[in-house]
């Protein structure tokens, strides 16, 4: 299964999330994403649920504790301070994909800088 990790700022809109996700999908072979995943509180945000509904796939949340266990290839000092990992999108995707997961697409940033996405599979 493929999991798309999504990170976003509070002011991000659906277009921001869609842009980041499309960039991440384009960085892979273009295969389908089976579920969206973000940090648990972000997964409850309206914009995240709208994206999952628009794509007709599950939207999942993972804990900060689980994400903090993930080493990510990209690093953001702001995200490290807030979530305990270098990339929320990469860490969320890796946690959801489970043991043995690998990143297919490292973190990409939406054109407006409001959202990030990464894709992992197991």
């Amino acid at each position: 299964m493929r999991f798309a990790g999504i990170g976003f700022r509070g002011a991000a809109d659906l277009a921001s999330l869609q842009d980041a996700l499309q960039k991440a999908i384009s960085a892979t072979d273009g295969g389908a994403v089976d579920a969206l995943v973000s940090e648990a509180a972000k997964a409850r945000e309206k914009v995240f649920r709208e994206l999952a509904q628009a794509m007709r796939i599950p939207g999942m949340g993972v804990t900060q504790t689980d994400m903090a266990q993930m080493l990510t290839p990209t690093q953001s000092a702001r995200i490290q301070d807030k979530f305990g990992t270098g990339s929320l999108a990469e860490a969320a995707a890796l946690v959801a994909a489970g043991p043995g997961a690998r990143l297919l697409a490292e973190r990409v940033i939406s054109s407006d800088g409001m959202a990030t996405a990464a894709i992992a599979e197991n």
Side-chain angles (χ1 to χ4, degrees):
M1 286 185 66
R2 288 185 178 192
F3 296 88
I6 305 290
F8 55 95
R9 294 181 182 264
D13 61 16
L14 182 59
S16 298
L17 273 64
Q18 289 172 322
D19 180 48
L21 181 57
Q22 188 53 53
K23 286 181 176 187
I25 291 170
S26 294
T28 69
D29 61 8
V33 171
D34 298 300
L36 299 177
V37 60
S38 192
E39 184 273 329
K42 288 189 169 289
R44 292 188 294 270
E45 294 288 333
K46 181 181 177 187
V47 69
F48 181 83
R49 291 179 315 189
E50 286 175 342
L51 179 60
Q53 288 173 352
M55 295 183 67
R56 296 186 173 158
I57 59 175
M60 306 166 34
V62 296
T63 68
Q64 287 186 32
T65 301
D66 287 340
M67 289 192 323
Q69 304 301 312
M70 293 293 134
L71 297 175
T72 60
T74 68
Q75 298 291 309
S76 162
R78 184 179 66 81
I79 296 301
Q80 181 68 48
D81 290 345
K82 189 168 183 177
F83 297 102
T85 188
S87 166
L88 187 151
E90 291 171 355
L94 288 166
V95 169
R102 66 184 181 96
L103 282 176
L104 298 178
E106 291 183 3
R107 174 186 63 167
V108 294
I109 303 170
S110 63
S111 298
D112 63 4
M114 299 297 282
T116 62
I119 299 175
E121 76 173 358
N122 188 345

